[in-house]
Amino acid sequence: MGNRSTKKSVDDEVKEALERKDEALAAAKIQVYLEEEKNVPLNIAITGETGSGKSTFVNAIRGVGDDDEEAAPTGVVETTMEATPYLHPNFTNVKLWDLPGVGTMNFTAAKYLKEVGLEKFDFFIIVSADRFRENDVKLAKEIQKMKKEFYFVCSKIDVDIENEKRKREFNEEKTLKQIRDNCTQGLQDQGFESPQVFLVSSRELHLYDFPLLVETLERELPDHKKNAFLLAMPNTSLEMIDRKKKAFKSKIKYLATLSAAVAGVPVPGLSVAVDLSLLVSVVTQYVFGFNLDIPSLKRLSNYTGVPYEELKEVIMSPLAATIITPDLLLRILVQTAGMALLMAVEEGSRFIPILGIPFSMVLSFTFTYKALNLVLDMLAEDAKRVLHKSCGVNG
Ligand SMILES: Nc1nc2c(ncn2[C@@H]2O[C@H](COP(=O)(O)OP(=O)(O)O)[C@@H](O)[C@H]2O)c(=O)[nH]1
Ligand SMILES: [Mg+2]
């Protein structure tokens, strides 16, 4: 990945190509950039003792039910030292690796990391159900030595909360603080001064610290990995949906420029066809990222127990919970963005003398720009309604 184009150089390259009236080159540059962005590999390692809840966490993040065919088996004794990769259902560039517990292997932490192939992982999540132990700490220190990042997750918080609720003086905040202190203690005993631990329930990812974990990882990942990571995470807060929307939005100018460049290539009929298949794949990515495709919604229904039909009921966009074909997309775009198209014509005609590029290009740019923004807004709103319906998260 050494020669990966940086964002800045893409902008410059495209601008240069357009100034030289080489629309085909501009289009090619943008296509390469968008392809690269779509295929950024992300490898997340989930490790911790047997029974700590690793496999369940892997499944929850992928939105896969524990008894789904493609699920990581849970509640089983670990017998191999294989790290097993589980692909994200909608973004197969993102892999979650279910690692065996270091304790089961009778290895040193260093040997363990060598065995599972430390190098390929972008970061490690070390899971514990109560208190981190010597093995977890040894592992963390070894990971640190190898200049990789790790995060501590205290799992099964719902179990602790349920148990505490039976007591007369239940106070959730106090209970969470106790769990946090207890979880942290083992790490402090082993010399981690102020470790950050995230309290998570794989049964209800939207509660406790999971949204904060996502936000933290997103912040700490290298720039070119941030979006790949974010889009593959399940929607667990309204802010997260807004951040996904922002991530998609940042690409729209490239897509609009691409459609303009294609429109500038004087092959009659080509522009519409290229545009449309491009738009179908882009909008499909939006639907995947917001978990609004039929399989994702079914998985969500399975995970939350809210019937699929009820989730579908709150969806307003005709592009969600369906299969997006070029015909459908064209129909919806004309319907929803028809007004935008008229505006595009009008605004476009104002730009022509300034830019000195063909009208067809301006029109294409403006239309794609507006249409994608409209569709994105609609889908983000649907995602928020589905989040509210499925787990009561409100604005
Ligand atoms: N209630 C609850 N149970 C969990 C949670 N995470 C895991 N479990 C249960 O804990 C047991 C061990 O989980 P598993 O994922 O197989 O642990 P692993 O050995 O680390 O992969 C299983 O019976 C899970 O159903 C959680 O967040 N909440
Ligand atoms: Mg397991």
Side-chain angles (χ1 to χ4, degrees):
M1 294 296 283
N3 57 355
R4 214 191 74 84
S5 327
T6 63
K7 196 158 166 247
K8 173 134 193 333
S9 79
V10 172
D11 285 5
D12 289 347
E13 283 172 350
V14 170
K15 209 169 138 218
E16 253 170 55
L18 285 176
E19 276 164 5
R20 277 190 277 117
K21 305 237 180 299
D22 192 347
E23 287 89 11
L25 180 65
K29 294 276 179 204
I30 294 176
Q31 268 167 327
V32 167
Y33 167 70
L34 293 174
E35 251 337 275
E36 272 178 8
E37 284 284 294
K38 224 165 97 180
N39 296 321
V40 170
L42 192 70
N43 289 286
I44 304 171
I46 315 284
T47 182
E49 293 303 318
T50 300
S52 60
K54 300 180 295 290
S55 305
T56 309
F57 190 47
V58 165
N59 292 338
I61 292 178
R62 294 164 69 234
V64 172
D66 285 342
D67 21 83
D68 263 329
E69 226 171 89
E70 53 210 300
T74 58
V76 295
V77 179
E78 286 157 354
T79 50
T80 67
M81 42 182 229
E82 299 282 310
T84 316
Y86 291 93
L87 270 56
H88 189 278
N90 285 353
F91 299 100
T92 49
N93 53 319
V94 177
K95 291 194 186 95
L96 288 133
W97 293 77
D98 192 355
L99 268 51
V102 59
T104 47
M105 295 309 131
N106 243 334
F107 280 171
T108 62
K111 173 112 197 296
Y112 171 85
L113 287 172
K114 190 155 173 270
E115 208 60 39
V116 296
L118 163 106
E119 272 314 314
K120 64 174 164 285
F121 299 117
D122 290 287
F123 59 86
F124 287 77
I125 290 178
I126 305 175
V127 183
S128 166
D130 37 44
R131 174 188 271 252
F132 291 95
R133 294 167 214 282
E134 198 187 348
N135 273 329
D136 300 313
V137 173
K138 277 188 182 154
L139 191 61
K141 286 189 172 157
E142 199 60 35
I143 295 169
Q144 203 165 35
K145 231 197 275 171
M146 308 300 279
K147 302 265 182 290
K148 295 264 179 184
E149 299 294 335
F150 58 89
Y151 301 84
F152 292 113
V153 160
C154 280
S155 63
K156 309 191 198 183
I157 299 305
D158 57 309
V159 178
D160 300 295
I161 293 284
E162 272 313 308
N163 287 339
E164 282 300 310
K165 262 188 187 160
R166 302 218 173 99
K167 296 183 184 165
R168 217 174 314 128
E169 290 166 47
F170 172 71
N171 174 323
E172 178 161 314
E173 225 168 279
K174 224 168 110 194
T175 304
L176 288 175
K177 187 181 177 314
Q178 263 165 16
I179 300 170
R180 198 182 296 281
D181 290 346
N182 192 39
C183 230
T184 312
Q185 192 59 51
L187 294 169
Q188 280 168 340
D189 290 348
Q190 310 275 343
F192 275 95
E193 265 179 34
S194 44
Q196 192 179 11
V197 297
F198 295 90
L199 308 189
V200 167
S201 161
S202 295
R203 301 268 176 260
E204 292 167 298
L205 280 184
H206 64 287
L207 297 179
Y208 319 117
D209 293 340
F210 182 76
L212 180 66
L213 175 64
V214 173
E215 207 184 311
T216 307
L217 281 163
E218 212 186 314
R219 197 171 50 237
E220 296 185 2
L221 274 167
D223 279 346
H224 70 287
K225 299 249 180 183
K226 287 183 201 293
N227 286 354
F229 168 73
L230 174 65
L231 296 179
M233 290 300 111
N235 294 335
T236 48
S237 75
L238 298 173
E239 296 75 37
M240 199 187 288
I241 292 171
D242 281 332
R243 294 204 306 278
K244 286 186 180 183
K245 182 166 130 181
K246 205 169 151 209
F248 282 131
K249 221 166 213 174
S250 70
K251 300 283 181 329
I252 291 183
K253 68 170 179 179
Y254 296 106
L255 293 157
T257 307
L258 181 56
S259 74
V262 172
V265 179
V267 179
L270 178 70
S271 99
V272 175
V274 171
D275 257 11
L276 204 52
S277 69
L278 173 75
L279 291 182
V280 167
S281 92
V282 171
V283 172
T284 303
Q285 292 291 306
Y286 294 174
V287 170
F288 277 2
F290 288 130
N291 304 324
L292 291 170
D293 54 300
I294 296 167
S296 289
L297 287 165
K298 290 205 163 141
R299 284 193 295 266
L300 183 65
S301 162
N302 196 14
Y303 178 78
T304 58
V306 178
Y308 173 74
E309 288 308 323
E310 286 183 26
L311 295 178
K312 229 183 130 174
E313 242 163 50
V314 301
I315 291 175
M316 317 267 286
S317 165
L319 292 165
T322 187
I323 291 163
I324 300 169
T325 61
D327 280 355
L328 173 72
L329 183 62
L330 191 59
R331 198 149 39 80
I332 303 304
L333 287 184
V334 169
Q335 258 171 36
T336 56
M339 201 55 211
L341 182 61
L342 288 178
M343 275 155 53
V345 174
E346 197 163 288
E347 288 173 27
S349 57
R350 272 194 291 118
F351 287 132
I352 298 174
I354 308 166
L355 296 173
I357 57 172
F359 182 62
S360 61
M361 284 179 70
V362 178
L363 190 57
S364 242
F365 180 94
T366 318
F367 178 66
T368 305
Y369 190 85
K370 286 190 184 292
L372 285 180
N373 271 299
L374 278 172
V375 167
L376 189 52
D377 286 347
M378 269 187 332
L379 291 171
E381 288 312 305
D382 276 340
K384 288 180 185 178
R385 279 189 292 267
V386 168
L387 179 61
H388 175 62
K389 183 81 197 171
S390 61
C391 38
V393 172
N394 241 329

